[in-house]
């Protein structure tokens, strides 16, 4: 996959390991080889193939390998589907490159760090659901919920194929373990499920099961079009308030979740404010009086000078504080992911 005009600013390790989403299933970052593996949808939007993404040193392209898929080589439509998803995850586009350059111009520190691309999912639906999983819970639980949804998708796929349920207790390679976990479910796969089934089979989801299923059903019925929202926000000029109102009227989409979704879309004006933001401002900026009542005002005072990239400036600081405490995120083992938080015992409550 050619990087085109993104080649001078692109670094795979930095494009992936900068947002908690890269730690959430079904993503699999391999520190030893600096490779990202995960299932991606083929053109039929039903079948998945496990794809490995690496960046050969000093080259202007990414190396994509299809690791497990019955049809090889893939068809032309399947190749296009995979490339589109990789491009979205890693923000390889003219617009993303323009944003990176403009932000790094406004914030020279970002250029020195090679920061400017925030990792996201192959689809806006996955981004939206994962944003729901981030609110009002520990980071460890967010990871567990994402894994549960991928296990659900594996079971649904194999039930359709008549292969039964997952067999436990057998040894497997790390790759086989990832495949057995499944891809992240689509709205179509979720829309036919009942809340009672989801909560009983995957209790870790709790009340979020209701919000996730409502979103899936609304998308499948056409009442909500996340793709249209994304297209609208990528046009200039865009109607921020209209899209925000449309999104915030959905159950489970408070200010924090909406800001996360907007950040994934590529609108960086809104900082996702929660207790982690309060901690960050208190500790990094020395504003000990920052609390739920004042945090939004203090966020504006600190980050508005970077408009329209306030969120990127905040996230760069947050990433730096995490890496000062835990080391490079790209070098952490999977077993360390669950401890990654500014306050290990606190919930990330939406403010």
């Amino acid at each position: 996959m050619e990087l085109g005009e993104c080649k001078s600013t692109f670094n795979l390790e930095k494009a992936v390991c900068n947002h908690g989403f890269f730690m959430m299933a079904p993503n699999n970052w391999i520190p030893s080889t600096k490779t990202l593996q995960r299932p991606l949808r083929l053109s039929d939007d039903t079948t998945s193939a496990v794809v490995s993404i690496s960046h050969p040193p000093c080259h202007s392209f990414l190396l994509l390998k299809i690791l497990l898929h019955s049809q090889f080589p893939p068809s032309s439509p399947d190749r296009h589907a995979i490339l589109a998803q990789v491009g979205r995850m890693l923000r390889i586009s003219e617009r993303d490159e323009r944003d990176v350059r403009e932000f790094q111009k406004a914030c020279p520190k970002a250029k020195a760090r090679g920061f400017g691309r925030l990792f996201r999912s192959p689809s806006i639906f996955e981004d939206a659901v994962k944003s729901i999983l981030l609110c009002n819970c520990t980071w460890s639980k967010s990871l567990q919920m994402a894994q549960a949804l991928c296990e659900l998708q594996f079971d649904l796929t194999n039930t359709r194929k008549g292969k039964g349920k997952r067999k436990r207790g057998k040894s497997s390679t790390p790759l086989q373990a990832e495949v057995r976990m499944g891809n992240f479910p689509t709205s179509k796969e979720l829309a036919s499920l009942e809340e009672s089934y989801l909560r009983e089979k995957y209790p870790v989801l709790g009340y979020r099961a209701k919000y996730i299923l409502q979103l899936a059903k609304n998308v499948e019925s056409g009442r909500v079009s996340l793709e249209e929202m994304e297209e609208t926000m990528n046009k200039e000029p865009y109607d921020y308030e209209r899209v925000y109102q449309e999104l915030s009227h959905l159950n489970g989409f408070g200010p924090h979740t909406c800001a996360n979704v907007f950040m994934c879309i590529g609108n960086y004006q809104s900082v996702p404010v929660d207790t982690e933001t309060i901690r960050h401002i208190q500790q990094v900026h020395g504003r000990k009086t920052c609390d739920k009542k004042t945090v939004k005002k203090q966020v504006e005072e600190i980050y508005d000078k970077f408009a329209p990239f306030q969120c990127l400036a905040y996230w760069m600081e947050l990433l730096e504080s995490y890496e000062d405490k835990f080391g490079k995120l790209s070098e952490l083992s999977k077993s360390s992911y669950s401890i990654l938080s500014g306050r290990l015992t606190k919930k990330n409550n939406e403010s």
Side-chain angles (χ1 to χ4, degrees):
M1 178 178 183
E2 292 293 337
L3 292 171
E5 63 182 59
C6 301
K7 62 183 178 182
S8 63
T9 63
F10 188 86
N11 177 289
L12 181 63
E13 180 181 4
K14 293 180 179 179
V16 173
C17 304
N18 56 48
H19 190 291
F21 279 9
F22 92 87
M23 302 180 187
M24 298 176 81
N27 296 307
N28 179 29
W29 173 256
I30 304 173
S32 60
T33 58
K34 297 184 179 180
T35 300
L36 177 67
Q37 291 180 359
R38 68 157 288 158
L40 293 174
R41 299 279 170 173
L42 301 184
S43 57
D44 62 6
D45 204 34
T46 299
T47 313
S48 296
V50 178
V51 177
S52 170
I53 307 167
S54 59
H55 188 188
C58 304
H59 285 78
S60 61
F61 61 85
L62 298 179
L63 183 62
L64 308 185
K65 294 182 180 180
I66 297 180
L67 302 180
L68 285 178
H69 180 51
S70 58
Q71 180 182 334
F72 189 86
S75 66
S76 179
D78 288 343
R79 288 199 299 271
H80 285 300
I82 290 172
L83 289 174
Q85 290 168 87
V86 172
R88 187 181 191 280
M89 284 192 296
L90 303 178
R91 299 185 189 266
I92 301 173
S93 71
E94 291 183 7
R95 189 215 172 195
D96 289 311
E97 179 63 17
R98 184 191 68 216
D99 285 347
V100 169
R101 293 176 185 272
E102 290 183 2
F103 172 60
Q104 291 182 349
K105 183 178 180 180
C107 182
K109 186 177 182 180
K111 185 173 183 178
R113 286 180 59 89
F115 179 86
R117 286 180 167 83
L118 285 181
F119 182 72
R120 58 183 175 178
S121 305
S123 71
I124 183 63
F125 179 77
E126 182 175 332
D127 282 335
V129 173
K130 285 184 172 178
S131 294
I132 292 175
L133 303 185
L134 295 178
C135 277
N136 298 323
C137 68
T138 61
W139 173 237
S140 177
K141 187 172 182 179
S142 294
L143 294 175
Q144 293 169 19
M145 289 188 287
Q147 181 170 335
L149 287 170
C150 292
E151 291 175 352
L152 165 68
Q153 195 277 335
F154 179 90
D155 286 341
L156 292 174
T157 299
N158 285 317
T159 298
R160 286 198 307 266
K161 294 178 179 178
K163 294 182 179 179
K165 297 182 179 179
R166 286 175 290 122
K167 295 180 181 180
R168 301 183 184 275
K170 289 191 175 183
S171 61
S172 62
T173 67
L175 176 58
Q176 288 171 333
E178 292 299 325
V179 174
R180 192 162 57 243
M181 184 172 59
N183 201 345
F184 201 84
T186 63
S187 57
K188 184 176 182 179
E189 289 171 325
L190 291 169
S192 61
L193 302 179
E194 296 296 330
E195 181 186 347
S196 58
Y197 166 82
L198 200 55
R199 294 188 69 156
E200 179 180 353
K201 192 169 179 63
Y202 301 97
V204 68
L205 296 173
Y207 70 87
R208 293 172 189 81
K210 178 180 180 179
Y211 296 155
I212 294 168
L213 291 183
Q214 285 181 345
L215 176 64
K217 293 176 189 296
N218 282 331
V219 169
E220 286 304 302
S221 68
R223 287 192 291 269
V224 172
S225 176
L226 296 174
E227 287 79 9
E228 185 178 323
M229 290 184 191
E230 184 168 31
E231 289 175 6
T232 299
M233 295 300 289
N234 284 329
K235 294 177 181 177
E236 295 182 1
Y238 53 81
D239 191 342
Y240 176 93
E241 287 301 325
R242 181 183 70 80
V243 177
Y244 181 84
Q245 288 300 319
E246 186 176 352
L247 189 62
S248 63
H249 282 145
L250 302 175
N251 288 332
F253 287 83
H256 179 269
T257 306
C258 287
N260 264 300
V261 173
F262 274 34
M263 176 177 67
C264 291
I265 288 175
N267 182 283
Y268 304 111
Q269 297 182 52
S270 300
V271 172
V273 172
D274 59 6
T275 52
E276 192 71 349
T277 315
I278 296 173
R279 177 205 64 79
H280 178 77
I281 290 176
Q282 289 175 345
Q283 295 183 4
V284 175
H285 291 276
R287 300 191 177 203
K288 304 301 182 183
T289 60
C290 182
D291 56 25
K292 285 188 176 182
K293 293 182 179 179
T294 65
V295 61
K296 292 181 180 179
K297 183 176 185 298
Q298 298 205 38
V299 163
E300 292 173 358
E301 291 173 355
I302 296 170
Y303 300 109
D304 273 7
K305 63 183 176 183
F306 296 107
F309 303 110
Q310 294 95 314
C311 187
L312 285 180
Y314 164 71
W315 212 265
M316 182 182 68
E317 287 185 358
L318 198 62
L319 175 64
E320 187 175 18
S321 69
Y322 284 160
E323 295 196 328
D324 284 345
K325 187 171 185 177
F326 299 102
K328 290 183 67 175
L329 301 191
S330 61
E331 297 176 357
L332 292 179
S333 64
K334 276 196 167 186
S335 61
S336 302
Y337 286 176
S338 61
I339 69 169
L340 187 69
S341 175
R343 287 178 174 175
L344 303 184
T345 60
K346 295 292 184 181
K347 294 181 178 181
N348 289 328
N349 295 314
E350 184 168 320
S351 297

